[in-house]
Amino acid sequence: MSARRGHHGHQPAGFLDDASNVLFVGPPGVGKTMLAVALDRAAVDAGHRVCFTTAAELAAKCHKAALEGRWKTCMNFFVGPKLLIIDELGCLPLPEDGASALFQVINQRYLKSSTILTTNVGIADWAGAFGDATVAAAVLDRLLHRAAVVGIDDPSYRLRNHQNQADALRTGVNARVS
């Protein structure tokens, strides 16, 4: 998890000026995080403060802060940056207070600053990822109000080499059978 300020340079896509959001949705290994990091880099290069975290890290940090009486400080950490990137929503189940913390972060950022979220969970299945349909609907309502949703449905780049090997074996076996 990091928060940093970059050097002034090129302005990334106008979504930061509009406090719009970007959701990258797709299975593991299709480049969602890589795209989020590229937008992170562009925002930092343009001089914006950016925070990158995973959904699980956000939930854990908020939970710990609540136990230690540092809730407001924790919220300020996540609400302050011009761009917050929340990676891997749905990879690990969110505890109930984690879903609530995510909602509160998104709610406080709503219409003020941009959020990029990467997830392997289709929007229709967010109730399951959050464990609460009402919280999922409230988060989606705020995120999607001003958002670009980018669905990526390709094979995992991590498994492409394995797929090529499997295809070669299948071709070799089929050639011998014919």
Side-chain angles (χ1 to χ4, degrees):
M1 181 170 7
S2 60
R4 56 194 179 272
R5 183 175 296 279
H7 305 290
H8 293 284
H10 302 294
Q11 174 66 29
F15 78 100
L16 291 178
D17 292 332
D18 298 339
S20 296
N21 305 308
V22 180
L23 277 70
F24 291 112
V25 183
V30 296
K32 300 179 301 292
T33 299
M34 181 192 69
L35 292 168
V37 167
L39 290 172
D40 172 316
R41 179 59 197 223
V44 168
D45 286 348
H48 298 293
R49 195 161 56 105
V50 177
C51 178
F52 184 99
T53 187
T54 65
E57 286 172 332
L58 184 146
K61 186 172 179 89
C62 289
H63 178 75
K64 185 175 184 220
L67 292 176
E68 296 174 356
R70 297 181 300 102
W71 180 257
K72 186 172 181 181
T73 303
C74 184
M75 283 295 110
N76 289 340
F77 179 84
F78 288 117
V79 173
K82 181 77 170 175
L83 175 60
L84 173 64
I85 299 174
I86 304 170
D87 197 28
E88 300 178 342
L89 177 70
C91 288
L92 297 171
L94 283 177
E96 186 177 326
D97 64 342
S100 173
L102 183 59
F103 166 74
Q104 290 186 57
V105 167
I106 297 298
N107 189 49
Q108 289 187 36
R109 294 181 61 78
Y110 179 58
L111 300 179
K112 296 177 195 136
S113 46
S114 298
T115 302
I116 295 175
L117 198 139
T118 72
T119 181
N120 62 341
V121 178
I123 290 171
D125 298 323
W126 274 33
F130 278 81
D132 183 316
T134 304
V135 173
V139 169
L140 280 168
D141 178 63
R142 284 151 183 83
L143 279 175
L144 296 178
H145 178 216
R146 287 190 193 163
V149 178
V150 181
I152 306 170
D153 190 20
D154 285 327
S156 168
Y157 73 88
R158 293 180 194 99
L159 299 179
R160 284 185 186 138
N161 190 41
H162 297 288
Q163 186 61 47
N164 291 341
Q165 291 172 347
D167 290 345
L169 282 171
R170 196 173 302 110
T171 301
V173 168
N174 288 341
R176 284 189 218 116
V177 172
S178 302

